[in-house]
């Protein structure tokens, strides 16, 4: 490929950085709070809730994300044509507009968020359970409520503990976004594949690789900065 | 008048009776030392009074407020949340391993409860904290984090943190056991000065010399029962029970 062609391809791929980053950001925004909720449910003392949550986590971590994306994307259209659907489900399904231009994006974000929430939940749970019992007891003796204890005493310490594992997960997410092209969500890898065929060259794929590398370098830098910032205590 | 009344507390862990029929009183300004071998239930007793464990039966009254008392079947019934909370603020507990909040500096540790629980304004809380830290000879350590302090300094911070709520009774569970011998002295000195100021204290300790010199009352516990209680002279020098004598001889 000529230098000009390489520049052209880079420009085109750069445009599709947008959809990749959009998916990445939306997944983080939804999966982190959802993960915290799932972690709480898993630690629930009422066993049936804890078991149900374990099953959810098992399915989300035990089946390929690609399969989950396909299932969620096609589930709604499939249910729409199903005649025997219970009324309440039909009402829910009818609300979803599969013809809307946003439908694909929403379906992908739902799939990614549900999947990543399961991974984050296990990281959060590990972090919460690693906080010594004495911290809760000291807070209780000082008259702090359960909510205050969690948000002021426990959570700040959990954040520090889970930062390395979370940053690992988040860097994997950057690269996982390419799985969305299975339902034709156009992002960098999909575009790179088209360009590869167009030019009969591997260079577009190489350029896409450089993009991912750059995103990873930036994320790594951000996380090591955060880790340093939280290093003021042990 | 007794500021703390404990009557017939009993407590079991999965069938194992850890506290059996424990009764004692503490008057305002008194120092009570609790001694006894490992596993005799000293910590469990303190934890029941500080609501970290639920007692099975008996009665605890703090400053006239009932924490729990027996129903007609002899099971402990706890008072409502509001009273339990008021009682909680009247008493404080200092732990063997400090349990400071590691992500907060010394000042933040001390003002956390006054600001968050008592809703004191921050400036007032800090002023009071400075006074307490000075008393603990920690005035230069305000901005330090717990991990930057020695064990003895950390324990003094945790005492200041407990005092910041101005409790009526302060409980200590082996406050020097996690410390090197040379740091034990500094904590005992602090306890002694609190005793001189007439702070009401209940101290579980293995420091016999300290208990003898500072306490007004001593309780010797073994296997979940109070074997002997009385003045230091009665318990240490004229023990009635063989078990007490044997235990004291070991020191
Ligand atoms: N949470 C618990 N579950 C089950 N058993 C417990 C629990 N806490 C304490 N015990 C048991 O209760 C008994 C009394 O324990 P406790 O910690 O009160 O003794 P102690 O007098 O404080 O001993 P030490 O001097 O070693 O601190 C021990 O046999 C202990 O194993
Ligand atoms: Mg103990």
């Amino acid at each position: 490929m000529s230098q000009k062609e390489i520049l052209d391809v880079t420009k085109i791929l750069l445009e599709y950085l947008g959809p990749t980053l959009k998916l990445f950001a939306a997944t983080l925004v939804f999966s982190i709070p959802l993960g915290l909720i799932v972690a709480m449910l898993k630690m629930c003392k009422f066993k049936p809730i804890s078991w149900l949550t374990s099953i959810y986590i098992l399915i989300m971590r035990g089946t390929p994300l690609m399969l989950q994306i396909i299932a969620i994307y096609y589930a709604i259209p499939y249910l729409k044509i199903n005649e025997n659907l219970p009324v309440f489900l039909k009402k829910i399904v009818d609300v979803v507009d599969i013809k809307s231009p946003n439908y694909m994006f929403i379906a992908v974000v739902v799939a990614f968020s549900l999947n990543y929430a399961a991974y984050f939940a296990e990281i959060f749970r590990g972090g919460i359970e690693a906080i010594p019992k004495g911290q809760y007891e000291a807070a209780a003796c000082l008259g702090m409520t359960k909510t205050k204890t969690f948000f002021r005493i426990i959570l700040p310490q959990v954040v520090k503990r889970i930062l390395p594992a979370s940053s690992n997960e988040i860097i994997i997410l950057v690269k996982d976004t390419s799985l969305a092209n299975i339902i034709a969500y156009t992002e960098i890898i999909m575009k790179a594949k088209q360009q590869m065929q167009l030019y009969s060259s591997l260079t577009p794929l190489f350029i896409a690789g450089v993009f991912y590398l750059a995103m990873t370098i930036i994320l790594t830098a951000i996380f090591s900065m955060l880790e340093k910032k939280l290093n003021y205590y042990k | 008048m007794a500021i703390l009344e404990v009557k017939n507390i009993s407590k079991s862990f999965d069938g194992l009776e850890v506290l059996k029929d424990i009764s004692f009183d503490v008057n305002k300004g008194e120092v009570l030392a609790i001694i006894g071998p490992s596993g005799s239930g000293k910590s469990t007793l303190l934890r029941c009074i500080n609501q970290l464990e639920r007692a099975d039966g008996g009665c605890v009254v703090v400053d006239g407020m009932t924490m729990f008392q027996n129903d007609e079947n002899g099971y402990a019934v706890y008072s409502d949340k509001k009273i339990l909370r008021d009682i909680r603020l009247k008493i404080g507990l200092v732990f063997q391993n400090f349990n400071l909040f590691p992500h907060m500096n010394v000042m933040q540790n001390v003002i956390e409860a006054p600001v968050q629980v008592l809703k004191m304004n921050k400036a007032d809380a800090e002023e009071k904290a400075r006074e307490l830290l000075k008393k603990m000879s920690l005035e230069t350590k305000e901005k330090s984090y717990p991990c930057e302090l020695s064990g003895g300094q950390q324990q003094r911070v945790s005492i200041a943190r407990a005092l910041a709520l101005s409790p009526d009774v302060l409980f200590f569970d082996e406050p020097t056991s996690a410390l090197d011998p040379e740091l034990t002295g500094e904590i005992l000195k602090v306890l002694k000065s609190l005793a001189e100021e007439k702070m009401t204290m209940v101290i579980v300790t293995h420091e016999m010399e300290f208990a003898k010199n500072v306490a007004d009352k001593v309780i010797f516990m073994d296997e979940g029962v109070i074997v002997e209680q009385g003045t230091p002279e009665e318990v240490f020098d004229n023990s009635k029970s063989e078990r007490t004598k044997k235990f004291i001889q070991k020191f």
Side-chain angles (χ1 to χ4, degrees):
Chain A
M1 280 175 79
S2 73
Q3 221 168 15
K4 179 171 176 310
E5 283 169 339
I6 290 177
L7 208 67
D8 286 346
V9 172
T10 308
K11 267 188 202 147
I12 290 170
L13 290 187
L14 209 53
E15 269 171 48
Y16 285 88
L17 191 61
T20 293
L21 289 178
K22 227 169 88 184
L23 174 55
F24 171 73
T27 302
L28 282 186
V29 166
F30 292 110
S31 64
I32 290 176
L34 189 61
L36 195 57
I37 294 170
V38 174
M40 298 289 194
L41 291 176
K42 171 126 191 207
M43 289 185 293
C44 181
K45 288 209 180 75
F46 183 61
K47 285 295 160 204
I49 290 186
S50 168
W51 290 329
L52 279 178
T53 313
S54 300
I55 292 171
Y56 167 80
I57 293 174
L58 182 65
I59 293 172
M60 284 300 154
R61 299 202 304 176
T63 60
L65 173 54
M66 191 186 275
L67 194 142
Q68 292 163 18
I69 297 168
I70 298 169
I72 288 171
Y73 181 64
Y74 289 109
I76 305 273
Y78 175 80
L79 291 177
K80 267 187 195 282
I81 55 163
N82 190 330
E83 312 263 295
N84 308 325
L85 208 61
V87 184
F88 77 95
L89 262 181
K90 189 145 188 61
K91 274 192 184 143
I92 299 173
V93 169
D94 280 347
V95 176
V96 184
D97 176 12
I98 53 173
K99 300 222 170 59
S100 113
N102 280 331
Y103 174 66
M104 184 187 283
F105 178 67
I106 292 170
V108 174
V109 169
V110 168
F112 271 80
S113 299
L114 290 178
N115 179 276
Y116 269 81
Y119 284 96
F120 281 129
E122 285 300 76
I123 294 175
F124 295 164
R125 187 177 62 91
I128 292 170
E129 286 178 349
I131 304 296
K133 207 171 88 218
Q135 292 289 302
Y136 293 92
E137 293 184 344
C141 283
L142 293 171
M144 293 178 76
T145 59
K146 287 225 163 77
T147 320
K148 278 237 160 96
T149 304
F150 183 74
F151 285 104
R152 296 194 52 88
I153 309 298
I154 307 303
L155 198 57
Q157 297 182 56
V158 170
V159 168
K160 181 181 161 87
R161 276 173 198 259
I162 63 170
L163 206 56
S166 305
S167 71
N168 206 27
E169 210 54 56
I170 289 170
I171 285 168
I172 294 173
L173 171 62
V174 174
K175 291 164 290 176
D176 268 1
T177 52
S178 62
L179 288 174
N181 77 42
I182 191 69
I183 55 164
Y185 179 80
T186 320
E187 40 65 69
I188 297 178
I189 293 286
M190 182 164 211
K191 210 64 203 170
K193 251 167 38 191
Q194 289 168 4
Q195 300 290 311
M196 172 183 89
Q197 280 153 1
L198 195 68
Y199 290 99
S200 305
S201 158
L202 281 177
T203 312
L205 284 188
F206 180 78
I207 297 170
V210 171
F211 276 24
Y212 283 99
L213 202 57
M215 289 188 276
T216 303
I217 289 169
I218 292 168
L219 284 172
T220 307
I222 291 173
F223 280 112
S224 69
M225 201 178 73
L226 283 176
E227 271 179 49
K228 260 206 206 102
K229 231 182 138 165
L230 288 179
N231 246 346
Y232 66 89
Y233 74 93
K234 281 197 195 73
Chain B
M1 198 199 88
I3 194 142
L4 171 69
E5 295 165 57
V6 174
K7 282 185 218 136
N8 318 102
I9 292 196
S10 61
K11 167 79 186 164
S12 303
F13 287 114
D14 341 285
L16 174 74
E17 249 193 308
V18 174
L19 297 178
K20 303 168 202 162
D21 204 22
I22 302 279
S23 301
F24 63 89
D25 284 347
V26 180
N27 293 321
K28 221 175 164 53
E30 249 178 8
V31 176
L32 166 67
I34 302 177
I35 58 172
S38 182
S40 55
K42 306 178 300 291
S43 296
T44 307
L45 175 61
L46 252 51
R47 292 170 60 79
C48 283
I49 299 172
N50 282 277
Q51 303 180 46
L52 296 175
E53 284 318 330
R54 264 184 114 79
D56 300 333
C59 172
V60 168
V61 180
V62 177
D63 199 13
M65 294 181 289
T66 304
M67 185 189 299
F68 58 85
Q69 58 189 0
N70 279 342
D71 62 6
E72 59 274 17
N73 301 319
Y75 292 109
V77 178
Y78 277 73
S79 298
D80 64 56
K81 265 193 168 154
K82 165 92 180 55
I83 294 178
L84 293 182
R85 204 186 113 85
D86 286 348
I87 293 177
R88 188 144 245 178
L89 295 177
K90 290 249 172 214
I91 63 184
L93 175 61
V94 172
F95 298 85
Q96 181 174 343
N97 53 352
F98 333 130
N99 290 336
L100 290 174
F101 304 133
H103 59 302
M104 296 180 175
N105 68 27
V106 168
M107 179 54 91
Q108 290 166 331
N109 263 280
V110 178
I111 65 168
E112 177 68 8
V115 172
Q116 295 297 326
V117 179
L118 300 184
K119 311 285 175 205
M120 227 182 192
N121 88 43
K122 201 170 163 221
D124 292 347
E126 281 180 349
E127 198 185 309
K128 180 163 184 198
R130 276 196 193 99
E131 241 169 70
L132 288 169
L133 290 173
K134 187 152 181 239
K135 218 156 99 182
M136 299 291 140
S137 322
L138 287 166
E139 55 270 49
T140 58
K141 299 289 182 189
E142 244 178 62
K143 297 253 151 44
S144 304
Y145 284 87
C147 62
E148 300 161 348
L149 301 177
S150 74
Q153 289 169 332
Q154 290 185 52
Q155 191 58 298
R156 281 182 278 146
V157 175
S158 92
I159 295 172
R161 182 176 70 173
L163 287 172
L165 289 172
S166 316
D168 285 348
V169 188
L170 198 46
F171 293 80
F172 296 82
D173 191 357
E174 302 194 26
T176 61
S177 292
L179 302 178
D180 295 337
E182 66 266 29
L183 298 179
T184 299
E186 64 182 67
I187 296 302
L188 296 182
K189 231 169 75 192
V190 167
L191 296 183
K192 205 165 169 188
S193 76
L194 287 173
E196 278 157 13
E197 290 170 32
K198 290 291 163 209
M199 178 78 211
T200 315
M201 296 188 281
V202 176
I203 308 171
V204 171
T205 183
H206 289 299
E207 300 293 329
M208 294 305 146
E209 209 45 46
F210 171 78
K212 209 169 165 175
N213 295 331
V214 177
D216 301 297
K217 255 198 256 176
V218 178
I219 285 178
F220 171 63
M221 273 180 79
D222 194 12
E223 294 180 351
V225 297
I226 294 183
V227 176
E228 203 155 334
Q229 62 176 314
T231 63
E233 294 73 38
E234 284 167 348
V235 175
F236 285 106
D237 303 328
N238 305 297
S239 8
K240 293 188 212 81
S241 137
E242 278 309 308
R243 265 147 100 192
T244 318
K245 274 187 201 143
K246 253 190 157 153
F247 178 74
I248 290 164
Q249 264 166 19
K250 276 194 259 167
F251 290 89

